[in-house]
Amino acid sequence: MKNLKRISTVLIMLAAITLQVSGQTLKERIDQVKEIKVYFSNLDVRHNPNTNPPPGSQNKGTGCPAFSETTPIPADYIEAEKQVIDLLNKGFATTVFVAGDISIVPVFTEGIQKGSQDWLKLGEPLVVWINTFGTYNVENMGLMGDVNRANSLSVDSYLAFYGIIDGKMKVLGNKNLVNVKTPTVKTKDCDDYAYFVKNFPLSSLSDAFKTGITEKTSDFTVKEMANYDKAM
């Protein structure tokens, strides 16, 4: 009986060690790192005219050419994003999350990933990436071959945790933080950049963006902590 108890104790200890090393939950991995940098990418708002129909679609495209002008993500959006650092620290009961400098992150120089961040080459065991972008959309709402153009503005923000596992970069967690869009406005012609800036100001989605950042980041940490509590 004593031997069985001793073996049981050893197995429990080994299980605990394995759990810590393997990092079965995101919270465990976070607790194993002294500092985790949060990197922010803010891509300019670009035109998405949907000129041609998607492959296999029976509907026509909009026929609108893309304009090259872009609009930077506003300062109030960027300030709202910074809340993520405090929300992650609070939600995961830690202080390890700090701001990172996206400009120092290496990028792929060739292949399908050309221009995107090479997190593995950066070499940090765990990183967080917040990617925010917007589009001036033109969609064809017509049916049966008709062209019925509708314009709108949309803004999206995405959170991803990356970690180096067995020498490879893996996605350990992700969450769509923001997916907001203005009501569509029908238009007869293909409109230019000035039209979109005037009729779809980014300020119209600012409050929804800020709310999404706060609520969805909190939802993410609550879910991950629930996974941790269950594992424990």
Side-chain angles (χ1 to χ4, degrees), residues 91-110:
F92 285 114
T94 184
T95 59
V96 299
F97 293 98
V98 298
D101 181 1
I102 193 70
S103 68
I104 69 169
V105 179
V107 297
F108 291 97
T109 57
E110 57 185 9

Side-chain angles (χ1 to χ4, degrees), residues 215-231:
E215 292 183 351
K216 297 301 182 180
T217 303
S218 297
D219 290 346
F220 175 79
T221 59
V222 167
K223 180 180 178 181
E224 292 297 333
M225 288 299 289
N227 291 337
Y228 172 75
D229 291 339
K230 183 178 180 180

Side-chain angles (χ1 to χ4, degrees), residues 53-72:
S57 173
Q58 298 300 314
N59 293 339
K60 292 183 178 180
T62 64
C64 295
F67 53 71
S68 60
E69 297 95 332
T70 62
T71 304

Side-chain angles (χ1 to χ4, degrees), residues 2-90:
K2 289 183 179 180
N3 288 336
L4 288 175
K5 288 183 178 179
R6 187 179 297 111
I7 291 172
S8 298
T9 302
V10 172
L11 289 174
I12 291 171
M13 292 175 63
L14 287 174
I17 293 171
T18 302
L19 190 63
Q20 182 179 9
V21 173
S22 63
Q24 293 182 345
T25 67
L26 183 57
K27 167 62 175 172
E28 290 170 83
R29 293 189 183 279
I30 291 170
D31 288 345
Q32 294 166 15
V33 182
K34 293 182 179 180
E35 183 178 82
I36 302 172
K37 292 180 180 177
V38 182
Y39 295 94
F40 298 91
S41 294
N42 293 289
L43 306 180
D44 287 358
V45 180
R46 300 178 181 276
H47 192 207
N48 181 26
N50 295 299
T51 304
N52 301 310
S57 173
Q58 298 300 314
N59 293 339
K60 292 183 178 180
T62 64
C64 295
F67 53 71
S68 60
E69 297 95 332
T70 62
T71 304
I73 296 295
D76 60 329
Y77 280 65
I78 295 173
E79 285 300 313
E81 291 172 352
K82 293 178 181 179
Q83 298 178 78
V84 170
I85 296 174
D86 290 336
L87 291 168
L88 291 176
N89 278 322
K90 179 181 178 181

Side-chain angles (χ1 to χ4, degrees), residues 50 59-62 138-143 145-150:
N50 295 299
N59 293 339
K60 292 183 178 180
T62 64
V138 189
E139 299 170 278
N140 178 22
M141 308 299 288
L143 301 174
D146 294 333
V147 176
N148 188 356
R149 299 183 183 91

Side-chain angles (χ1 to χ4, degrees), residues 185-226:
V185 177
K186 293 183 179 179
T187 181
K188 180 179 179 181
D189 300 317
C190 295
D191 296 290
D192 59 10
Y193 175 70
Y195 167 89
F196 278 91
V197 171
K198 178 181 179 180
N199 291 278
F200 300 99
L202 279 156
S203 58
S204 65
L205 296 177
S206 179
D207 288 343
F209 180 86
K210 295 173 184 177
T211 299
I213 288 288
T214 301
E215 292 183 351
K216 297 301 182 180
T217 303
S218 297
D219 290 346
F220 175 79
T221 59
V222 167
K223 180 180 178 181
E224 292 297 333
M225 288 299 289

